[in-house]
Amino acid sequence: MIDNALRDSPPPDATGFDPHDWPFFWMTQAVGRYLQRLETALKRVELDVSRWRVLMCLKEGQATSVSEIAELAIVKLPTMTKIVQRMQADGLVTCEARASDGRVTEVSLTDRGLAARQEAWTIANKLYVQAFRTIADDDKHRLNRLVESIFNNLSEW
């Protein structure tokens, strides 16, 4: 017997469409719930999801361009530029023109940003553990590969 959520393909038209049978519904619901919980938890340490995304894209002692951060965080470049500028004003990051190309702004963590990154990671990791508490490690690995395949399929479209 085939479970409704695992149908091979959607119906040929919208007649009888049920969002609960649509994998994108559940992916969006899961990500939405995760971001709500993360936002609430990050407020306790005066951070938000936008800043968390930037902090997680940066590594200690390594500069990353604003455009690379925007791509990783799936945020438009002008929006990311504003986020980084606010983080710079908060003392979390520094910004410098790339030596080889002055048009590129490189972002680095400050000591304060490094501490905030660790705090944010601790919060996000607790939420991750909660979200995946009933999921086996090989199922997590399989889920990553499946979602990566879906991403790649959509990249070809």
Side-chain angles (χ1 to χ4, degrees):
M1 177 156 58
I2 297 176
D3 183 87
N4 280 344
L6 301 175
R7 287 187 208 165
D8 289 337
S9 60
D13 59 37
T15 305
F17 173 76
D18 181 352
H20 296 90
D21 292 337
W22 195 251
F24 290 109
F25 171 82
W26 290 112
M27 286 190 276
T28 304
Q29 291 294 311
V31 170
R33 170 94 28 103
Y34 170 75
L35 292 175
Q36 286 173 340
R37 300 289 194 266
L38 184 60
E39 186 78 41
T40 299
L42 288 171
K43 280 182 183 177
R44 295 181 205 133
V45 294
E46 299 180 12
L47 291 172
D48 57 27
V49 171
S50 296
R51 285 176 174 81
W52 172 77
R53 286 178 174 163
V54 173
L55 292 170
M56 292 302 108
C57 290
L58 297 172
K59 293 185 170 70
E60 183 177 8
Q62 182 179 339
T64 305
S65 74
V66 175
S67 59
E68 290 169 315
I69 297 167
E71 186 176 323
L72 286 169
I74 313 169
V75 174
K76 292 180 180 177
L77 183 57
T79 302
M80 183 53 67
T81 299
K82 290 175 187 171
I83 294 166
V84 167
Q85 287 169 344
R86 287 195 308 265
M87 291 178 72
Q88 185 177 22
D90 292 342
L92 298 171
V93 298
T94 59
C95 298
E96 293 183 12
R98 182 176 284 168
S100 62
D101 184 350
R103 299 170 295 174
V104 177
T105 300
E106 294 191 317
V107 182
S108 300
L109 288 168
T110 62
D111 289 342
R112 184 173 178 196
L114 191 57
R117 184 180 195 272
Q118 185 56 51
E119 267 188 306
W121 173 252
T122 300
I123 290 166
N125 193 49
K126 284 179 184 176
L127 188 54
Y128 174 88
V129 169
Q130 171 67 23
F132 286 93
R133 73 185 187 282
T134 61
I135 311 296
D137 286 344
D138 24 326
D139 287 338
K140 286 186 268 187
H141 180 74
R142 189 174 305 111
L143 177 61
N144 273 339
R145 298 295 70 83
L146 286 169
V147 175
E148 180 182 18
S149 291
I150 292 166
F151 175 83
N152 291 332
N153 290 343
L154 289 171
S155 296
E156 298 169 2
W157 193 58

